[in-house]
Amino acid sequence: MVLRINGKGQQSHRLVIFFAVFILTTLLILYGSNNSNDGSYIPFNVALIRATKTTDLKKWSGRDGYMPLYGNKSMTLHCHNCALVTSSSHVLGSQAGSEVDQTECVIRMNDAPTSGYESDVGNRTTVRVVAHASVFRVIKRPNEYLQRTDSNSTIIFWGPPNKIGKDAKGTLFRLLQRVSMTYSNLSFFSISPNKMRKFDNLFTRETGRDRQKSHSWLSTGWFTMVIAIEMCDNIKVYGMVPPNYCGKKTASKKMPYHYYKPRGSDECLMYIQNESGRRGNHHRFITEKQVFARWAKQYNITFTNPKW
Ligand SMILES: *[C@@H]1O[C@H](CO)[C@@H](O)[C@H](O)[C@H]1NC(C)=O
Ligand SMILES: *[C@@H]1O[C@H](CO)[C@@H](O)[C@H](O)[C@H]1NC(C)=O
Ligand SMILES: *[C@@H]1O[C@H](CO)[C@@H](O)[C@H](O)[C@H]1NC(C)=O
Ligand SMILES: *[C@@H]1O[C@H](CO)[C@@H](O)[C@H](O)[C@H]1NC(C)=O
Ligand SMILES: *[C@@H]1O[C@H](CO)[C@@H](O)[C@H](O)[C@H]1NC(C)=O
Ligand SMILES: *[C@@H]1O[C@H](CO)[C@@H](O)[C@H](O)[C@H]1NC(C)=O
């Protein structure tokens, strides 16, 4: 559009008024949203979850939310029993490996390895859910993450559509496509932009807080739990603490955030800091677990190491 204000005084006058009104309105909207409750995160412990309408995760969105990165595969996996093995150090010493391996489907996250930890986490992988930020770590060690799997295992990537979506022209997407072509015996999917929005809306519905306005990032655990509920009739979760765990005195013993990084950050410290973080975006690990606790009553989800 070209604005011509030469000579026509009246017209430029109107233009000035128009812009003044526009700027005022914008300021009012900005001011208003800053003052609304959605703008700040209610920290851990006082996090009140207002479950409005419950969503039936068994049919909340079709399987077309998973786009094959290569070929025309579709995400049709269904399992009666699933083991969801978390990446928490709470799995260490559990000796749950053989029980995990005897489960029909085994679900893991990001770059959680099995080599060296078989007795606690098992050695099979049926599904691995990987965040865009973990892609490089996974494909850097194909013998660990892409070869030590069940035959025809499924790898699901989640991330912003501009990074992993079909229309993304970036290097990350091309890399994922190349890997999917090389390992055509496995099934690689990325979560569609439409389904990513559904994951956001689900967070908003389940927590009463707008995901973006509350500066929250979803965790891989959030995606993995929802995917597990979609595809499994029964789920046993290994190594996830209950939502109130980190406020308790029993939690004072330092437990690494990841079982494969013994010198890494303490899990509870990470959870509490993220939960109360306001500037920048943060994971709401504790809030997410409050939602999982509610889902556990609705679907058959059990928790072990610790049991709850
Ligand atoms: C998928 O591709 C294979 C091989 O290219 C073809 O045989 C099959 O018919 C296709 N399936 C669908 C549902 O398009
Ligand atoms: C392999 O997995 C994909 C995705 O879950 C599925 O569509 C396909 O039917 C499976 N193939 C075999 C041979 O089991
Ligand atoms: C897992 O361990 C069992 C028993 O130790 C072994 O027979 C099997 O080959 C292993 N599977 C994989 C995928 O490494
Ligand atoms: C899949 O194919 C790759 C490359 O051809 C191979 O190295 C790998 O062992 C195969 N994985 C499975 C689970 O069969
Ligand atoms: C619920 O799941 C557990 C293990 O995941 C299983 O042992 C139990 O039989 C299931 N209960 C029902 C009612 O299906
Ligand atoms: C939040 O958690 C992530 C791990 O997902 C971590 O990298 C980050 O440092 C944490 N932030 C805070 C403020 O603790």
Side-chain angles (χ1 to χ4, degrees):
M1 192 175 72
V2 181
L3 290 176
R4 271 181 294 156
I5 40 178
N6 50 336
K8 297 202 172 165
Q10 223 183 2
Q11 212 175 350
S12 72
H13 211 91
R14 252 189 254 142
L15 217 65
V16 168
I17 292 172
F18 170 77
F19 277 115
V21 170
F22 176 74
I23 286 165
L24 261 174
T25 318
T26 311
L27 282 176
L28 277 174
I29 289 169
L30 284 177
Y31 183 72
S33 70
N34 267 352
N35 268 0
S36 81
N37 281 334
D38 278 337
S40 61
Y41 200 81
I42 307 164
F44 149 63
N45 269 352
V46 277
L48 282 174
I49 295 186
R50 302 171 258 145
T52 43
K53 254 185 265 161
T54 52
T55 306
D56 185 354
L57 291 176
K58 296 286 181 196
K59 44 186 167 197
W60 72 302
S61 83
R63 296 295 179 98
D64 53 355
Y66 302 97
M67 304 185 307
L69 281 156
Y70 175 68
N72 58 5
K73 293 174 180 174
S74 65
M75 168 72 185
T76 49
L77 192 60
H78 174 260
C79 314
H80 192 53
N81 292 306
C82 292
L84 198 173
V85 184
T86 70
S87 306
S88 165
S89 65
H90 282 274
V91 298
L92 294 177
S94 66
Q95 291 295 314
S98 63
E99 187 185 285
V100 167
D101 283 339
Q102 282 162 36
T103 312
E104 184 187 348
C105 296
V106 181
I107 306 172
R108 301 184 195 276
M109 291 183 257
N110 291 325
D111 56 333
T114 56
S115 307
Y117 303 95
E118 292 89 343
S119 61
D120 291 330
V121 304
N123 68 4
R124 287 182 42 226
T125 305
T126 321
V127 174
R128 187 178 285 276
V129 181
V130 179
H132 59 108
S134 295
V135 166
F136 289 111
R137 280 191 290 270
V138 166
I139 62 183
K140 230 166 49 191
R141 289 175 65 197
N143 55 343
E144 175 64 44
Y145 303 112
L146 305 177
Q147 285 163 19
R148 281 171 57 94
T149 66
D150 293 3
S151 59
N152 195 32
S153 85
T154 298
I155 305 198
I156 300 173
F157 298 100
W158 72 268
N162 64 350
K163 292 214 168 100
I164 60 149
K166 257 219 154 53
D167 299 326
K169 299 279 182 280
T171 42
L172 188 60
F173 182 72
R174 283 204 298 267
L175 188 62
L176 290 180
Q177 274 192 315
R178 266 217 315 277
V179 171
S180 320
M181 259 182 249
T182 310
Y183 293 90
S184 56
N185 49 354
L186 311 185
S187 300
F188 295 84
F189 297 97
S190 67
I191 297 182
S192 72
N194 189 32
K195 186 142 181 151
M196 284 300 294
R197 270 193 300 277
K198 287 188 177 175
F199 274 102
D200 272 2
N201 296 341
L202 183 65
F203 180 88
T204 302
R205 265 201 311 281
E206 296 287 331
T207 65
R209 273 173 299 227
D210 186 278
R211 206 269 306 159
Q212 277 177 307
K213 284 187 197 155
S214 64
H215 302 288
S216 304
W217 265 330
L218 300 177
S219 73
T220 300
W222 177 263
F223 288 94
T224 308
M225 184 60 87
V226 173
I227 291 168
I229 294 171
E230 283 178 346
M231 67 175 230
C232 314
D233 298 333
N234 308 308
I235 304 165
K236 192 159 180 184
V237 183
Y238 294 81
M240 186 181 286
V241 299
N244 60 355
Y245 179 85
C246 290
K248 290 186 175 164
K249 287 213 173 67
T250 47
S252 54
K253 185 168 173 277
K254 187 171 186 260
M255 295 295 286
Y257 176 56
H258 285 154
Y259 67 79
Y260 48 96
K261 287 181 194 148
R263 289 152 186 273
S265 327
D266 175 63
E267 181 180 78
C268 274
L269 190 64
M270 184 86 96
Y271 284 4
I272 291 168
Q273 283 180 346
N274 261 277
E275 195 70 16
S276 52
R278 282 160 182 265
R279 280 167 205 270
N281 288 312
H282 300 277
H283 292 302
R284 308 306 184 179
F285 296 113
I286 296 170
T287 299
E288 287 182 354
K289 284 172 183 55
Q290 289 174 334
V291 177
F292 298 165
R294 202 167 57 224
W295 286 342
K297 294 187 191 131
Q298 199 176 341
Y299 310 102
N300 187 18
I301 307 173
T302 52
F303 298 87
T304 187
N305 306 111
K307 249 190 182 41
W308 53 286

